[in-house]
Amino acid sequence: MPSARSRAVSAPGVLLLALVVHGNFGRCGAGIEYGDVLPDSFPSAPAETLPHFLLEPQDAYIVKNKPVELICRANPATQIYFKCNGEWVNQNDHLTKESLDEVTGMLVREVQIEVSRQQVEELFGLEDYWCQCVAWSSAGTTKSRRAYVRIAYLRKNFDQEPLGKEVPLEHEVLLQCRPPEGVPTAEVEWLRNEDVIDTTRDTNFLITIDHNLIIKQARLSDTANYTCVAKNIVAKRRSTTATVIVYVNGGWSTWSEWSQCNNRCGRGWQKRTRTCTNPAPLNGGSFCEGQPFQKIACTTMCPDGAWTEWSKWSACSTECTHWRSRECTAPSPKNGGKDCSGVLLDSKNCTDGLCMQNKRVLSEPKSHLLETTGDVALYAGLVVAIFVFIVILMAIGVVVYRRSCRDFDTDITDSSAALTGGFHPVNFKTSRHDNPQLLHPSMQPDLTANAGIYRGPMYALQDSSDKIPMTNSPLLDPLPNLKIKVYNSSTASSSPRLNDGADLLGAVPTGTYPGDIARDNHFMNIRNKAMGSQHLLTLPREHGNSATGTFGCLGGRLTIPDTGVSLLVPHGAIPQGKFYEMYLIINKAENTLLPSEGTQTVLSPMVTCGPTGLLLCRPVILTIPHCADINSSDWIFQLKTQSHQGNWEEVVTLDEETLNTPCYCQLEPKSCHVLLDQLGTYVFVGESYSRSAIKRLQLAIFAPTICTSLEYSLKVYCLEDTPDALKEVLELEKTLGGYLIEEPKPLLFKDSYHNLRLSIHDIPHSLWKSKLLAKYQEIPFYHIWSGSQKALHCTFTLERYSLASTELTCKICVRQVEGEGQIFQLHTILGENASSFDAFSLHHSSAVTTQVGPYAFKIPLSIRQKICNSLDAPNSRGNDWRLLAQKLSMDRYLNYFATKASPTGVILDLWEAQHQDDGDLNTLASALEEMGKSEMLVVMATEGDC
């Protein structure tokens, strides 16, 4: 290269020297031969100018492995060479072309070189790779501009992605977007429902200089999915889609005119109405506040009719008669007032009896009038008689029909009034804070809404069968297919007046009507389906059901106390220098789409960890409790996530993982640890493929803290055996004035289509009596197995004969038909045991929700790094991370760990999540000892607390 460069430099000099020598020799010869005849001076030739660049090299980008071409064109120029990064380019790498300028006739020289990716990558230093042209002429040299050559790229992840929002109509919306780093800098455009937003056509949109999208005034048509797109010459990247929902809060229309007074005579009321249509609530907007109607008192005058004065007598007619008339208009009867009594027309003989010749003629009309009046009375009497006869026949038919029904069968009303209906779930509806018309969070649904009638034979049970052994006795035989299946103790005591049963957990607020509730539910469903998973960013973070924290590269842990839900952010999961505000929420809304399909059952709470779209350098671990009995091998387990459209999609089916599976699930008897690369909303579901799978339930009994009446109610809750389910009911009963009278008991519930049966026995009949008609109550199988209905319970209402009776002993039996059961032996003293059993003493977990940095981990960072350095490298004898996974029972799918930069580090992260509560390093030390890693034990003993 030096020799070539020297040749390239010397070439122009040699050429110039030759020209000078040749010119001198020519002048000498001419002086010898022609000196006498030539003039003393010659006109001088025009001096050659410096080279002028017609085309200078331009900046270029190397895309993938394709080299770039740099072109330089100048005149006049005897030579042109490229110099890159201060060094001359080899002459052989130049491609030279010559042509004549058509205008000036001068020689134009063009030189071209190629720059490869390897040449650019081999350059060390802070300055970019550059090249420039140097052109020579007899007058000197000229240098071109520097052309910089860079390797083009565009990273995958956005620095900031847009987040979905809910905004009211005509409000400003800001969607932020920071594109990925790239060379050249990426251009940004926004898509609205996959169409490019043109701010020149729609001036309501504004794209700022830092690539943010602003909707100046949100319109209903702006409800859409928005995507930020970044592109350069290398690639095109799309952000996650942000759903913007423009909602409209309802507004009242103007009042209608007042109606007529409802009472035709005397005092009444009249009303006017208005509708919530100005505007109507849309896209989840709140309903109008206030009443849709108004009433005021009114009084209607109802005068009786009175006759006017008689008119003058008419002229005497040919029949010797004249007439006079009057009207009932002084006043006219109104609003039900009495009509005038008497005749409208009056007539008499106008000749004082002298006109005897027409006597017969005058009498005939009167007799005809009498005949007509008699016919009308006759017909009216016949109609009334026929009507009375028909009514009597109908009454006799109804009596006969009822008697026949009472002789052969009995009516059973399937409603909460007759059967206590206590198995219905508690519905919680998230309401907008400015909408008091939505349901109160602690309010149960109207249990009589689906009341039906079952007509069929009844079977009497004797009192001697009150004590029910856990056997297949006739008392436990299956019943007809009812929502509530009841055997009545007496066929004559099916009174519908009893209102015992499942107590309402809250009262309907004043002004809330069934129509309003249905309408609100409709709007909430539309809103959730439209929003998809982005609505999770605006979920209410209820106290006790969420945790938040800000984490950096040191990691940390989020924990929701007393729920078994946590999120472990390992050391190094967050890029160096970045800090993320993360959150963890247990979703309690019941108007979302159910994650289970077909025969699947929900086994865990729906948990959201976010925000979505974060760049993570290593997996985080989400821990969620579940209620499956994993000892039975009849389960098919799945982890599901909620998409942006709100639908549930399968993430992984356990034991069916592939290399493309984006996560790993470590299943334990009561919890599941999920290693995730993407945050979102997740739930654990299962399906039984041989009708033998078992769910773990827990039974909890609550009683009122204060009882001042003769009635005393015992609520028996049937819950999934997860900490969050019990916590939810404990908090609910605390607000309702109930307390847990005995520690919950477990129950194994089998996938056998058999219902759960509850009954109460051994009541001291001399002091107490049961107000139930039924011998027992049942909770339908599907209500329990689906896992979609929360806080299922039945209520047993007892009545004491005297307020002096303050002690109650009884037995409550809960069992699955043809399955397992539990018996509660209750002994309570009213008003005294409320404080003897602290309901919340069942939970002993820490109330700390956020741990940041080293305090969140049990293994010190120095020990962790040494373990990773020792086990990450593969060992031919298998004494590496694979054996550690086997010793820690994490070897269900080793390929997942093999794809990670540090398999040992991911295994230790999972161990940290498993041992959140105990923090005992002995299991890890034992595994290392069995592997023969004694040096690690020395490190743990000297640097850590074993």
Side-chain angles (χ1 to χ4, degrees):
M1 188 68 184
S3 61
R5 188 168 61 252
S6 63
R7 286 197 302 270
V9 174
S10 61
V14 173
L15 180 62
L16 292 175
L17 181 61
L19 291 172
V20 172
V21 173
H22 177 73
N24 291 335
F25 284 159
R27 282 195 296 273
C28 291
I32 296 172
E33 296 179 5
Y34 306 106
D36 297 335
V37 298
L38 291 176
D40 295 335
S41 62
F42 293 92
S44 59
E48 192 174 24
T49 61
L50 288 172
H52 170 67
F53 284 101
L54 303 177
L55 177 65
E56 294 187 87
Q58 302 297 317
D59 294 341
Y61 298 95
I62 296 177
V63 179
K64 298 184 179 178
N65 293 319
K66 185 178 180 180
V68 297
E69 296 178 350
L70 299 180
I71 301 176
C72 188
R73 187 183 304 125
N75 77 335
T78 56
Q79 293 291 337
I80 302 177
Y81 288 94
F82 271 95
K83 179 185 286 186
C84 293
N85 296 316
E87 296 184 357
W88 293 101
V89 178
N90 193 322
Q91 184 177 5
N92 297 330
D93 295 333
H94 290 73
L95 178 62
T96 304
K97 296 180 182 179
E98 293 181 351
S99 62
L100 290 177
D101 190 327
E102 295 178 356
V103 178
T104 62
M106 299 179 65
L107 183 67
V108 177
R109 187 178 298 273
E110 180 180 301
V111 176
Q112 174 181 328
I113 65 170
E114 287 187 349
V115 179
S116 66
R117 183 187 184 100
Q118 182 179 358
Q119 290 175 273
V120 177
E121 289 178 341
E122 289 176 351
L123 176 67
F124 292 96
L126 299 177
E127 190 175 9
D128 290 332
Y129 191 94
W130 60 269
C131 294
Q132 69 177 165
C133 284
V134 181
W136 283 267
S137 71
S138 59
T141 60
T142 303
K143 295 181 180 179
S144 71
R145 67 179 293 275
R146 288 186 178 184
Y148 289 93
V149 180
R150 301 178 179 89
I151 298 175
Y153 67 92
L154 184 62
R155 301 200 183 281
K156 292 184 178 181
N157 296 314
F158 281 72
D159 291 341
Q160 183 174 10
E161 294 188 285
L163 303 178
K165 295 183 178 181
E166 297 175 53
V167 293
L169 189 67
E170 298 183 352
H171 277 58
E172 184 182 277
V173 183
L174 173 63
L175 297 178
Q176 294 180 316
C177 176
R178 289 167 56 192
E181 178 186 349
V183 173
T185 303
E187 298 178 356
V188 174
E189 63 182 12
W190 282 87
L191 303 182
R192 178 181 177 272
N193 290 337
E194 302 303 320
D195 295 328
V196 178
I197 296 177
D198 187 354
T199 56
T200 60
R201 291 187 177 183
D202 192 343
T203 57
N204 194 43
F205 291 103
L206 174 65
I207 299 178
T208 65
I209 194 171
D210 52 354
H211 312 301
N212 296 332
L213 176 66
I214 296 178
I215 305 176
K216 299 177 183 177
Q217 285 188 327
R219 304 159 297 190
L220 287 177
S221 59
D222 294 329
T223 297
N225 295 322
Y226 292 86
T227 309
C228 182
V229 178
K231 59 182 179 181
N232 62 7
I233 59 177
V234 179
K236 185 177 182 180
R237 310 293 186 205
R238 292 169 58 98
S239 70
T240 57
T241 298
T243 300
V244 174
I245 293 182
V246 182
Y247 64 84
V248 179
N249 292 325
W252 289 114
S253 65
T254 57
W255 287 103
S256 65
E257 296 294 332
W258 288 103
S259 65
Q260 296 294 329
C261 197
N262 69 318
N263 197 349
R264 293 180 58 190
C265 182
R267 291 186 60 82
W269 54 265
Q270 56 186 151
K271 71 174 183 178
R272 63 176 182 175
T273 60
R274 58 179 178 174
T275 57
C276 189
T277 56
N278 186 32
L282 289 175
N283 296 337
S286 60
F287 198 74
C288 302
E289 297 183 10
Q291 296 294 337
F293 61 88
Q294 285 182 344
K295 287 184 179 181
I296 60 172
C298 59
T299 302
T300 304
M301 302 302 294
C302 43
D304 296 334
W307 291 113
T308 59
E309 295 293 332
W310 286 105
S311 65
K312 294 181 179 181
W313 289 101
S314 66
C316 193
S317 66
T318 57
E319 290 83 10
C320 304
T321 307
H322 61 176
W323 302 81
R324 67 175 180 176
S325 64
R326 58 179 178 177
E327 295 180 355
C328 187
T329 58
S332 301
K334 292 183 179 179
N335 302 322
K338 295 180 181 180
D339 204 351
C340 301
S341 59
V343 295
L344 180 65
L345 296 175
D346 184 25
S347 65
K348 69 176 181 177
N349 191 296
C350 57
T351 61
D352 296 330
L354 296 179
C355 190
M356 301 304 295
Q357 59 189 22
N358 293 330
K359 184 177 182 181
R360 182 183 59 83
V361 178
L362 291 174
S363 63
E364 285 180 355
K366 293 184 178 181
S367 63
H368 177 70
L369 180 62
L370 292 175
E371 291 177 0
T372 303
T373 304
D375 291 343
V376 171
L378 176 62
Y379 293 146
L382 288 175
V383 170
V384 171
I386 292 173
F387 178 75
V388 172
F389 179 72
I390 292 174
V391 171
I392 294 174
L393 285 179
M394 292 177 63
I396 295 174
V398 171
V399 172
V400 172
Y401 176 76
R402 288 184 175 178
R403 288 185 178 180
S404 62
C405 292
R406 186 174 59 187
D407 292 338
F408 294 103
D409 49 32
T410 303
D411 292 347
I412 301 177
T413 302
D414 177 15
S415 68
S416 61
L419 302 178
T420 77
F423 62 86
H424 284 265
V426 178
N427 284 341
F428 298 95
K429 179 174 182 181
T430 305
S431 61
R432 195 180 298 277
H433 66 277
D434 56 351
N435 185 7
Q437 295 294 328
L438 298 180
L439 290 181
H440 192 274
S442 63
M443 187 182 68
Q444 279 192 338
D446 183 3
L447 302 182
T448 64
N450 293 324
I453 300 298
Y454 168 74
R455 187 178 300 281
M458 300 299 296
Y459 302 90
L461 300 176
Q462 303 300 325
D463 293 337
S464 60
S465 62
D466 284 346
K467 297 182 179 180
I468 304 177
M470 287 298 180
T471 61
N472 292 328
S473 64
L475 177 61
L476 305 180
D477 290 338
L479 297 174
N481 186 16
L482 291 177
K483 290 185 67 177
I484 307 176
K485 301 183 179 178
V486 176
Y487 276 34
N488 202 335
S489 60
S490 172
T491 59
S493 61
S494 58
S495 171
R497 294 183 298 108
L498 292 179
N499 57 2
D500 191 21
D503 298 343
L504 290 177
L505 299 181
V508 179
T510 303
T512 301
Y513 304 97
D516 298 331
I517 297 172
R519 181 163 53 250
D520 290 341
N521 283 334
H522 174 68
F523 288 140
M524 289 299 293
N525 289 333
I526 293 177
R527 175 182 173 188
N528 284 329
K529 293 178 181 177
M531 286 181 62
S533 63
Q534 289 297 330
H535 85 283
L536 297 173
L537 299 178
T538 59
L539 281 176
R541 302 180 184 179
E542 300 177 3
H543 177 70
N545 289 330
S546 64
T548 60
T550 302
F551 301 101
C553 65
L554 295 179
R557 190 192 306 265
L558 286 177
T559 304
I560 303 179
D562 304 327
T563 63
V565 177
S566 64
L567 179 68
L568 181 72
V569 183
H571 179 276
I574 298 176
Q576 184 77 27
K578 289 185 177 293
F579 292 88
Y580 295 154
E581 182 179 2
M582 306 178 71
Y583 58 82
L584 188 63
I585 304 173
I586 298 178
N587 301 327
K588 295 297 183 182
E590 291 194 354
N591 47 14
T592 55
L593 294 176
L594 295 180
S596 57
E597 300 175 354
T599 58
Q600 289 181 340
T601 176
V602 180
L603 298 174
S604 75
M606 286 182 284
V607 177
T608 298
C609 52
T612 58
L614 293 184
L615 173 63
L616 298 175
C617 300
R618 61 190 306 160
V620 297
I621 297 97
L622 175 65
T623 299
I624 51 178
H626 68 81
C627 61
D629 181 15
I630 63 175
N631 294 324
S632 58
S633 58
D634 296 308
W635 281 107
I636 301 175
F637 295 112
Q638 283 185 353
L639 182 72
K640 289 190 174 185
T641 186
Q642 197 170 28
S643 66
H644 296 293
Q645 291 74 28
N647 300 319
W648 289 94
E649 299 174 352
E650 176 188 345
V651 179
V652 61
T653 299
L654 269 65
D655 298 323
E656 294 182 9
E657 292 90 347
T658 65
L659 288 176
N660 296 325
T661 302
C663 68
Y664 176 86
C665 295
Q666 179 71 16
L667 189 62
E668 293 189 335
K670 292 189 176 182
S671 61
C672 178
H673 307 281
V674 188
L675 281 78
L676 299 170
D677 291 320
Q678 293 292 331
L679 304 182
T681 300
Y682 295 91
V683 69
F684 196 60
V685 301
E687 184 176 5
S688 171
Y689 61 86
S690 64
R691 314 302 305 174
S692 300
I694 296 175
K695 285 183 70 171
R696 294 179 292 104
L697 305 180
Q698 53 183 337
L699 306 171
I701 301 181
F702 289 82
T705 305
I706 301 174
C707 181
T708 58
S709 65
L710 296 177
E711 289 188 353
Y712 189 74
S713 298
L714 298 173
K715 292 181 185 177
V716 183
Y717 283 86
C718 175
L719 311 170
E720 295 173 346
D721 191 11
T722 56
D724 69 293
L726 181 58
K727 178 183 178 181
E728 180 182 352
V729 172
L730 288 170
E731 293 175 347
L732 176 63
E733 280 294 326
K734 184 179 181 181
T735 62
L736 299 176
Y739 75 102
L740 188 64
I741 62 176
E742 188 170 335
E743 186 172 352
K745 291 187 177 182
L747 178 69
L748 298 180
F749 192 79
K750 192 175 182 180
D751 182 17
S752 62
Y753 289 122
H754 291 297
N755 298 341
L756 190 69
R757 184 171 294 175
L758 302 92
S759 55
I760 187 168
H761 312 278
D762 297 345
I763 302 172
H765 295 288
S766 59
L767 302 174
W768 295 81
K769 68 175 181 179
S770 173
K771 298 189 66 176
L772 298 178
L773 288 177
K775 282 293 184 179
Y776 55 82
Q777 303 179 68
E778 284 190 349
I779 302 179
F781 166 81
Y782 183 75
H783 286 188
I784 300 174
W785 190 256
S786 68
S788 60
Q789 303 193 40
K790 306 300 181 184
L792 290 168
H793 72 276
C794 287
T795 302
F796 294 94
T797 302
L798 307 175
E799 184 177 4
R800 46 184 172 170
Y801 294 111
S802 171
L803 291 175
S805 300
T806 59
E807 185 175 359
L808 173 64
T809 58
C810 63
K811 181 190 301 181
I812 292 182
C813 173
V814 184
R815 71 184 295 264
Q816 186 180 15
V817 178
E818 298 185 8
E820 296 190 14
Q822 285 283 4
I823 296 178
F824 290 85
Q825 299 282 354
L826 301 182
H827 179 265
T828 180
I829 298 178
L830 278 62
E832 293 184 8
N833 290 356
S835 60
S836 62
F837 189 88
D838 184 3
F840 294 91
S841 65
L842 297 173
H843 307 281
H844 303 285
S845 62
S846 172
V848 177
T849 60
T850 306
Q851 295 174 294
V852 181
Y855 299 100
F857 305 99
K858 311 300 179 184
I859 307 174
L861 183 60
S862 59
I863 298 178
R864 175 194 179 90
Q865 291 174 343
K866 292 179 180 179
I867 296 176
C868 292
N869 294 335
S870 175
L871 300 181
D872 274 346
N875 189 300
S876 59
R877 294 182 294 116
N879 193 18
D880 50 21
W881 62 268
R882 293 168 293 182
L883 184 58
L884 177 64
Q886 179 182 349
K887 296 295 183 182
L888 298 178
S889 301
M890 300 178 185
D891 57 339
R892 187 176 57 81
Y893 186 68
L894 289 176
N895 286 340
Y896 176 83
F897 302 99
T899 60
K900 304 304 176 184
S902 174
T904 309
V906 179
I907 292 173
L908 294 179
D909 293 340
L910 184 54
W911 184 91
E912 289 275 6
Q914 285 181 315
H915 297 81
Q916 172 182 355
D917 296 326
D918 53 34
D920 186 6
L921 294 177
N922 288 335
T923 57
L924 182 59
S926 300
L928 294 173
E929 183 178 11
E930 293 175 6
M931 295 173 61
K933 297 291 182 178
S934 57
E935 69 276 11
M936 291 295 100
L937 297 179
V938 175
V939 172
M940 295 177 67
T942 56
E943 297 184 22
D945 182 15
C946 190

